[in-house]
Amino acid sequence: MMTNLNVVRAEKRRYMAGTKCAVVIGASIAGLLTARALSEKFEQVIVLEHDSLPTTPVSRKKVPQSRQLHVLLAKGAQVLDELFPGFTDDLVAAGAVRSDPQVDTTYCLDGHPLASAPSGITTLGISRPYVEYEIRRRASELPNVEIRDNVEVTGIVLGDDHSTITGVNLLNGSVSADLVVDAGGRYSQALKWLNELGVPMPSCSQVDPGVVYVTRHYQRERHHLDGRNGMLVVPYPECPRGAGIVPVEGNRWAVVLFGLFDVDPGTTDSSMSKFAESLPTPAVAKLIRDAEPVDDAVRMRYPSSRWWHLERQRRHLHGLLVVGDALCSFNPTYGQGISVAAMEAMTLRDLITGDAERLPAKFYQAAAKIINIAWSLSAGGDMRFSQIKGKRTTSGKVINSYLNRYRLAAGTDPILGKAFLETANMLAPAAKLLTPAKIARTLRGSRRATRIAE
Ligand SMILES: Cc1cc2nc3c(=O)[nH]c(=O)nc-3n(C[C@H](O)[C@H](O)[C@H](O)COP(=O)(O)OP(=O)(O)OC[C@H]3O[C@@H](n4cnc5c(N)ncnc54)[C@H](O)[C@@H]3O)c2cc1C
């Protein structure tokens, strides 16, 4: 016989799993991965996108960052494989390049390369449009997911109980939903719409590193970069300029040059060469001099890292969640956005089996833990630069000064190098760099490196 509690639980399960419809705003990476997660519980998932969705892997007008180089962190690739089995194999079949970042890629940290040794980590070189295209292709094959493009969401609908969102308004008409998920990206209007309904704006953390991105693609040849699969030049206080070189499908290199504090690499051959020559390694300048460009360079100024702290709000309207860049957007030079969006989708997939009433609070708490891992690395790392405004805690200063020594020691100690890459790829929390064994290695290694430099 069913107890009362069991009846309530069964009823809630029916609420989540019955003839229920979810609407997702935005058919980019966060929106499509959310749709994949929701498809396990909702009978119908409708994704609404105001852009025209291409049928080939090309960049999109309403996602201007899709023209810029994107890296897919190892954690993101793992989660994509969980959500869509065989995902990364399909990317490799389409021309993506698998690499061990500690062997095949040159990581230039604070002006010197990371010690090379097999790390067991696998990263994938693939273009951002291809990742989105493959996610879209797979999501659109799910029987209960419908993607509608050229549909603009203009607002959210508050139910008669004044505490539940019951759908969305469109330019023409509306769609009812039991759950609305906003994946409208950095310029999403969801928080403004909520505010118009009387919900206070959440507090917000913001860091502006003044990043200017310039990406261009080149024909890839085996001899480039001395046969390696890529390069990352990380900016540091003495050189607030960086670069990334990633192999992508079509036997191309995606090359990004980026400056902090509004230093602009420019988009001409000569400005890009001059910028590349100012980096601490000559390899980037050599590549863009030797390789054949296959398109024009494109520039983008990234506004700021921004985290809306919905996890701190006491009350939430039922039936609405905010995910992806709409919730938190990271300094792109750390390559975290796709991976965080994928991890949020996994979390949502696990939570929707539970109590619908408490879904927003539970989701934002869980998402905050994921975001915090990425934020402490990127926004925390940005605090090394004295030009960046923001409160510096004593513990933050101590950690950043330790990490300066860590990076120095990682130039000769492959074990430190591997732990650094695991953290940077979100496979391990930053705390892994602070274990007693790592601290001892760091102190030894950095002393040795300083002696050699003297
Ligand atoms: C320059 C740059 C470089 C980056 N590099 C990396 C990287 O290397 N690695 C990485 O992991 N991440 C990177 N990112 C972040 C990454 O692009 C995002 O995290 C990722 O795209 C997920 O974003 P999203 O899906 O939340 O939002 P978006 O990709 O911005 O998509 C939002 C979608 O919502 C749609 N939309 C918005 N409003 C409405 C509406 N009212 N109605 C209907 N549709 C709507 C938009 O058209 C769009 O399709 C970078 C970002 C920038 C800016």
Side-chain angles (χ1 to χ4, degrees):
M1 211 173 88
M2 258 190 164
T3 62
N4 268 355
L5 193 62
N6 283 340
V7 172
V8 172
R9 282 195 184 129
E11 184 54 38
K12 277 182 178 152
R13 267 200 299 279
R14 224 174 1 259
Y15 171 74
M16 296 307 292
T19 56
K20 297 290 174 183
C21 169
V23 161
V24 179
I25 306 172
S28 182
I29 289 175
L32 294 167
L33 295 177
T34 300
R36 161 67 189 85
L38 297 177
S39 72
E40 290 197 6
K41 290 292 159 195
F42 285 81
E43 202 160 70
Q44 192 185 17
V45 182
I46 303 171
V47 187
L48 302 172
E49 168 57 54
H50 62 173
D51 211 354
S52 297
L53 293 174
T55 51
T56 52
V58 290
S59 58
R60 287 200 286 122
K61 208 167 131 212
K62 304 258 186 205
V63 184
Q65 79 267 27
S66 61
R67 301 171 78 195
Q68 299 294 338
L69 174 144
H70 274 56
V71 293
L72 179 58
L73 300 182
K75 180 66 184 181
Q78 279 179 5
V79 178
L80 286 170
D81 268 339
E82 274 185 70
L83 289 169
F84 295 114
F87 188 89
T88 55
D89 285 344
D90 282 359
L91 292 187
V92 171
V97 179
R98 274 198 176 108
S99 303
D100 176 333
Q102 205 172 350
V103 175
D104 306 317
T105 304
T106 305
Y107 259 79
C108 197
L109 279 183
D110 289 8
H112 55 262
L114 200 66
S116 181
S119 68
I121 301 170
T122 305
T123 54
L124 209 60
I126 183 78
S127 74
R128 148 76 202 231
Y130 207 101
V131 175
E132 186 180 313
Y133 164 81
E134 186 59 19
I135 295 173
R136 189 166 64 241
R137 185 184 73 73
R138 287 187 172 243
S140 65
E141 283 172 358
L142 297 168
N144 54 344
V145 173
E146 186 191 346
I147 304 168
R148 300 183 193 163
D149 65 351
N150 301 305
V151 177
E152 176 155 359
V153 177
T154 54
I156 46 180
V157 181
L158 185 64
D160 294 337
D161 67 356
H162 296 284
S163 64
T164 309
I165 297 301
T166 57
V168 293
N169 287 321
L170 312 178
L171 269 183
N172 298 308
S174 60
V175 180
S176 299
D178 300 282
L179 179 66
V180 174
V181 181
D182 175 62
R186 184 174 181 103
Y187 300 102
S188 140
Q189 299 294 303
L191 295 179
K192 185 179 135 250
W193 295 331
L194 278 171
N195 194 240
E196 285 163 4
L197 295 174
V199 176
M201 285 300 274
S203 61
C204 170
S205 296
Q206 231 169 142
V207 176
D208 181 8
V211 182
V212 183
Y213 249 50
V214 170
T215 293
R216 193 172 193 186
H217 295 88
Y218 297 82
Q219 204 57 53
R220 182 171 164 230
E221 290 177 39
R222 284 229 155 263
H223 65 89
H224 289 152
L225 299 180
D226 294 330
R228 292 197 150 207
N229 277 351
M231 169 160 259
L232 197 71
V233 182
V234 178
Y236 56 110
E238 292 74 28
C239 177
R241 298 176 295 283
I245 304 176
V246 171
V248 298
E249 76 283 0
N251 213 22
R252 295 170 299 153
W253 294 114
V255 176
V256 66
L257 304 178
F258 56 90
L260 306 187
F261 319 118
D262 287 305
V263 173
D264 187 345
T267 53
T268 63
D269 286 339
S270 64
S271 69
M272 288 177 71
S273 286
K274 194 168 165 220
F275 183 93
E277 278 158 16
S278 76
L279 297 171
T281 160
V284 181
K286 181 168 168 31
L287 181 91
I288 64 177
R289 200 171 45 238
D290 293 352
E292 190 64 39
V294 294
D295 57 11
D296 290 333
V298 283
R299 177 186 178 281
M300 184 172 184
R301 162 68 156 90
Y302 175 73
S304 64
S305 306
R306 192 184 63 192
W307 180 2
W308 291 109
H309 291 289
L310 280 155
E311 81 284 2
R312 292 185 190 160
Q313 281 200 321
R314 281 162 170 252
R315 285 187 56 241
H316 299 283
L317 291 182
H318 304 308
L320 180 85
L321 297 176
V322 178
V323 301
D325 279 19
L327 181 59
C328 185
S329 154
F330 304 90
N331 176 345
T333 65
Y334 296 83
Q336 299 165 322
I338 296 174
S339 299
V340 169
M343 291 162 81
E344 288 173 2
M346 285 293 280
T347 296
L348 185 56
R349 188 179 78 162
D350 296 341
L351 287 175
I352 50 171
T353 51
D355 175 358
E357 291 281 312
R358 301 241 323 118
L359 182 61
K362 283 187 176 169
F363 174 75
Y364 293 129
Q365 292 301 332
K369 287 189 185 144
I370 299 168
I371 292 170
N372 197 40
I373 296 173
W375 187 267
S376 60
L377 274 180
S378 51
D382 285 346
M383 288 298 164
R384 310 169 73 196
F385 296 92
S386 58
Q387 297 92 323
I388 291 181
K389 291 196 191 93
K391 211 173 118 201
R392 282 152 175 89
T393 58
T394 310
S395 62
K397 281 186 205 162
V398 172
I399 288 175
N400 269 335
S401 132
Y402 166 72
L403 291 177
N404 287 341
R405 298 185 76 162
Y406 188 105
R407 279 182 285 262
L408 185 61
T412 50
D413 184 341
I415 292 187
L416 294 181
K418 178 180 173 189
F420 171 84
L421 288 173
E422 283 170 347
T423 304
N425 278 283
M426 294 191 72
L427 297 169
K432 229 189 143 184
L433 306 181
L434 299 163
T435 61
K438 297 286 183 329
I439 292 173
R441 295 188 88 97
T442 297
L443 295 181
R444 268 198 312 274
S446 60
R447 267 191 229 116
R448 203 170 40 235
T450 314
R451 269 200 307 273
I452 293 168
E454 286 164 0

